[in-house]
Amino acid sequence: MRKLTIAIDGPAGSGKSSVARVVAQRLGYLYLDSGAMYRALALKALQNNGLALTSEKELENLARDTEIELQPVPPSLHDPTVHNRVLLDGDDVTQSIRTNEVAQAASRVATIPGVRAVLVAAQQRAGASGGVVMEGRDIGTVVFPRAELKIFLEAAPEARAERRWKEHQEKGESLALTQVIDEVKERDKRDTERKVSPLVRASDAVLVDNTAMGVEETARLIILLAHERQREVSATKSLE
Ligand code: CDP
Ligand code: CDP
């Protein structure tokens, strides 16, 4: 069977990472979490004392001077909050990019066109050979506009914030649920309203609202859609 490129986009906490990881595992595809790249760059900016998150030029230069690598995690690892192993200039930052502070900073650096150009090019290189599930905000619209299967994953904002809040609780980062709801909404607003590559559903993306669905059920649905697309793609190819 021909391997597909699968793009999964959607707002924070819609289940992209957990679902994409299961889908990739079952299909034997490479899973790539593009958001981890924005998070890693944001972490470096935060660590780089004095590098203002608003300084477009400095952040663009920082993106050019930074090496971010996403590696698969072994299937035996069942921690749902660990997606890819993330190396920032060779250092393992897999865990340290998962804080609330880094999430907020990531959505700020992600508004800068020069930063996006650098990271989008890296994402396109990483997924160039197909057989990949990549998730983020602009995968179906900008990174892989010709992906054979595009999913736009949605869930009610309160459900998404509660999922994120639970993760922070489990990691000992104690935050008020109302704070997480406000921050998720703020990040959604910044992501959907930014000028460059805003979070928007591609016209050919399948909308999946998983407010009332678990990770397993959502992943199964996407795998069914992937098998259907594979059959369609193979039938088209055999006519050519
Ligand atoms: O990547 P994204 O921010 O879209 O979401 P995620 O990190 O995959 O999911 C956030 C949390 O919600 C994880 O702990 C998932 O296990 C959970 N989740 C869920 O309970 N039900 C779903 N249908 C999807 C995700
Ligand atoms: O896991 P969660 O959905 O909370 O966020 P993420 O996927 O780790 O992404 C963190 C931030 O990076 C998002 O709020 C976006 O601002 C940005 N991002 C982006 O602009 N484009 C992408 N393809 C992925 C993430």
Side-chain angles (χ1 to χ4, degrees), residues 13 15-19 21-22 25 31 33 35-36 39 71 73-74 76-86 92-100 135 162-173 215:
K16 300 179 298 296
S17 308
S18 342
V19 170
R21 199 179 138 186
V22 175
Q25 252 172 34
Y31 161 62
D33 170 8
R39 284 175 180 258
Q71 294 181 343
V73 292
S76 55
L77 184 72
H78 292 300
D79 181 344
T81 65
V82 174
H83 313 296
N84 283 130
R85 181 165 180 247
V86 187
D92 191 326
V93 295
T94 310
Q95 299 290 350
S96 45
I97 58 168
R98 293 290 149 205
T99 66
N100 203 38
E135 50 98 357
E162 196 173 333
R163 291 172 182 173
R164 214 11 67 81
W165 174 79
K166 272 194 195 147
E167 284 182 342
H168 288 304
Q169 288 287 107
E170 279 160 18
K171 282 188 289 179
E173 200 182 357
V215 173

Side-chain angles (χ1 to χ4, degrees), residues 4-6 31 35 53 58 70 114 152-153 155 165 173 180-181 197 205 210 223 226 233 236 240:
L4 308 175
T5 295
I6 302 180
Y31 161 62
L53 284 171
E58 280 185 59
L70 302 181
F152 194 84
L153 210 52
W165 174 79
E173 200 182 357
V180 180
I181 293 177
S197 309
N210 71 145
I223 291 166
V233 170
T236 315
E240 284 173 5

Side-chain angles (χ1 to χ4, degrees), residues 12 16 34-35 39 107 110 116 137-138 164 187 191 194:
K16 300 179 298 296
S34 68
R39 284 175 180 258
S107 85
R116 301 200 69 88
R137 302 292 187 288
D138 59 342
R164 214 11 67 81
R187 200 142 62 89
D191 289 347
R194 70 179 173 225

